[in-house]
Amino acid sequence: MVLIISIDWYIGNEFNQFIYSDINRVPHRKIALVLGTSKYIQQSGETYYNAYYAYRVKAAAKLYQAGKIDGILVSGDNSTQFYDEPSQMTQDLINLGVPSEYINQDYAGFRTLDSIVRANKVFGLEDYTIISQKFHCQRALYIAQSKGQNPIAFSASKVQSFAGIKTRLREVLARFKAFLDCKILKTSPKFLGEPETINYRNYNNR
């Protein structure tokens, strides 16, 4: 328990210097990596819109429209033909005004570790912007720096609800798992594959 709490505290404090919440202050990066989650959640037999998802997609669109990024990589779970986070995020970003040609898809982002490692190994990213809620950004930055990457992060709006409390409790264990994966087990992503090209707007061609 002491180790778990210590790791949670370390990840929660060490990486705040790389996380931005003010869109006017976040440095420009060519690509933003949006970490996936389900658009809808099931609870007590009812289906609800997932605020974590909505805030991440809106944050990515705002960064693009503000000129803080030139392209977006959406990374999420596409484990079956009936569940496709990247395609859903792509469509919603298009609906928010992001051109489709500048949205790239990673269909094998089954976990945060997979998304971060594949961002570099498959899509060639090193200096980029991670988009998620702050607590998730902290863990993602920990994984990225453990893998020799140098991203920053933009914090999407946090969720004010009891679900937010439960998510924070799960995050404590997720951070311990990230420590094990990065430092002890040296866990690899479920899939890697061949390198892929990232598309983004190029002001030199305008």
Side-chain angles (χ1 to χ4, degrees):
M1 285 301 297
V2 171
L3 180 60
I4 291 172
I5 293 171
S6 297
I7 290 169
D8 177 62
W9 180 89
Y10 172 77
I11 293 177
N13 289 273
E14 182 68 17
F15 299 95
N16 287 334
Q17 60 184 310
F18 304 108
I19 301 176
Y20 296 83
S21 58
D22 185 346
I23 199 168
N24 296 310
R25 300 186 64 182
V26 60
H28 173 269
R29 294 291 186 269
K30 286 185 179 180
I31 304 296
L33 170 66
V34 185
L35 297 174
T37 187
S38 175
K39 183 173 181 176
Y40 300 101
I41 54 177
Q42 296 285 336
Q43 186 175 353
S44 302
E46 300 290 335
T47 301
Y48 299 94
Y49 193 50
N50 186 357
Y52 290 101
Y53 172 95
Y55 292 151
R56 293 179 199 182
V57 172
K58 289 179 181 178
K62 288 179 180 178
L63 284 181
Y64 178 84
Q65 292 158 358
K68 297 296 184 175
I69 55 174
D70 301 319
I72 297 171
L73 174 62
V74 291
S75 180
D77 190 345
N78 178 213
S79 54
T80 75
Q81 62 177 323
F82 305 107
Y83 188 79
D84 186 351
E85 292 176 358
S87 292
Q88 184 68 74
M89 287 190 285
T90 296
Q91 186 57 58
D92 287 336
L93 284 167
I94 293 171
N95 293 342
L96 290 171
V98 180
S100 59
E101 61 265 33
Y102 303 138
I103 307 172
N104 307 266
Q105 295 81 26
D106 173 12
Y107 292 102
F110 301 111
R111 297 195 303 148
T112 303
L113 181 140
D114 295 53
S115 296
I116 294 296
V117 174
R118 285 176 54 83
N120 175 253
K121 298 296 184 182
V122 175
F123 296 94
L125 305 184
E126 290 186 3
D127 299 317
Y128 58 97
T129 299
I130 297 169
I131 297 177
S132 189
Q133 276 69 33
K134 183 178 180 180
F135 69 88
H136 194 195
C137 288
Q138 292 166 338
R139 172 160 50 96
L141 287 166
Y142 169 77
I143 294 170
Q145 291 195 14
S146 296
K147 301 297 181 180
Q149 300 179 27
N150 188 38
I152 58 174
F154 182 75
S155 175
S157 299
K158 63 182 179 179
V159 177
Q160 301 282 6
S161 68
F162 179 67
I165 297 173
K166 293 195 296 182
T167 299
R168 180 63 187 88
L169 293 175
R170 288 198 298 268
E171 179 65 18
V172 174
L173 296 179
R175 291 178 179 186
F176 181 63
K177 182 65 164 60
F179 165 77
L180 293 177
D181 286 335
C182 293
K183 302 301 184 181
I184 308 298
L185 303 175
K186 307 296 183 182
T187 304
S188 298
K190 187 174 182 179
F191 297 112
L192 274 178
E194 298 298 319
E196 297 187 29
T197 301
I198 285 280
N199 296 317
Y200 57 93
R201 63 183 167 190
N202 189 340
Y203 290 104
N204 294 329
N205 294 332
R206 288 189 166 187

